[in-house]
Amino acid sequence: MNGPVVNHISVQAQFASLNNDREQLRNTTSSLNRERKQEEETIRSLRFTEQALADQVRIAHAKLGAENKKRQLLREETTRKQCLLEKDRKEITILANRLFQLEEEEKTRRMKSVKEIDMLNDELELIIRQYEERGLVKVITVDTAELFLKTSIQSRIG
C-alpha cells in the first residue's frame, strides 16, 4: 500500500508543482502582456512624436524654401536697383559734363558778345566824334577859332 500512496503523493506534489508553475506562467504572461502593452503604447507615442516631428520638418523646409525664394527675389531686386543706380550715375555725369560744356560755351559767347559790343561802342564813338568834328568844322569861323585857341591855352595854363 505504500507504493500507491507514494505515487498519489508524488502525483499530488507534481500536480501542485504544475499548478504553481501554471500560476507563475500566468503571472509572467500577465506581466509580459502589461510590458508589451506599455511597449506598444510607447511605440505609438514615438510614432506620433515622429509624425509630429516630420510635420514640423516639412513646415520648416517650406518656410526655409519661402525665405530662400524671398531672399533670392530681394537679391535680384537689389541687383536691378544697383544697375539702375549705376546707369543714373553715368547719365548724371554725362549731363553734368554737358552742362559744364554749355556753361563754358555760354561764357565764351558772352565774352565774345561783350568784345563785339565794346568794338561797336568804339566804332560808334569814333563815328560820333567824326560827326561832331564835321559839325564843328561847319560852325568854326575865324572868330570862334581864336576863341577856341584862347580857351584851350588858358585851360592848359590854368
Side-chain angles (χ1 to χ4, degrees):
M1 264 194 84
N2 246 354
V5 174
V6 170
N7 278 338
H8 180 57
I9 292 178
S10 159
V11 170
Q12 279 183 344
Q14 285 177 350
F15 185 70
S17 174
L18 286 173
N19 250 351
N20 193 18
D21 286 345
R22 184 180 62 158
E23 201 52 44
Q24 282 180 355
L25 183 60
R26 195 180 288 157
N27 288 340
T28 302
T29 303
S30 177
S31 174
L32 287 174
N33 280 336
R34 278 192 305 273
E35 285 180 24
R36 181 182 53 82
K37 286 180 182 178
Q38 285 178 347
E39 292 298 323
E40 287 174 350
E41 184 61 34
T42 301
I43 289 171
R44 273 193 296 276
S45 176
L46 287 174
R47 284 185 183 151
F48 178 77
T49 302
E50 179 184 26
Q51 184 61 41
L53 289 173
D55 291 343
Q56 288 178 357
V57 166
R58 220 177 354 269
I59 291 169
H61 280 296
K63 285 181 181 179
L64 179 62
E67 286 297 318
N68 285 339
K69 184 169 184 148
K70 186 177 177 182
R71 187 178 300 126
Q72 180 62 29
L73 290 174
L74 286 173
R75 276 192 209 120
E76 289 171 2
E77 182 68 13
T78 301
T79 301
R80 186 185 69 78
K81 285 184 179 180
Q82 285 175 341
C83 288
L84 288 174
L85 184 61
E86 187 60 31
K87 181 181 173 188
D88 287 348
R89 281 185 184 142
K90 287 178 182 177
E91 288 176 0
I92 288 171
T93 302
I94 290 168
L95 290 173
N97 289 340
R98 180 67 180 138
L99 178 62
F100 178 76
Q101 182 183 11
L102 289 173
E103 287 173 344
E104 287 297 314
E105 288 173 3
E106 178 68 15
K107 184 178 174 183
T108 303
R109 188 188 62 75
R110 285 184 181 182
M111 289 175 67
K112 184 178 177 183
S113 294
V114 167
K115 286 179 182 179
E116 288 176 4
I117 290 171
D118 285 346
M119 286 174 44
L120 290 172
N121 280 339
D122 291 344
E123 286 179 29
L124 184 59
E125 187 179 330
L126 181 63
I127 291 171
I128 290 172
R129 224 184 262 155
Q130 288 174 351
Y131 179 74
E132 286 175 346
E133 286 176 2
R134 276 189 227 143
L136 284 176
V137 168
K138 289 179 186 175
V139 175
I140 295 180
T141 60
V142 176
D143 294 333
T144 55
E146 284 179 23
L147 182 64
F148 177 72
L149 287 172
K150 285 181 185 176
T151 310
S152 163
I153 292 172
Q154 286 177 354
S155 67
R156 287 186 187 163
I157 295 175

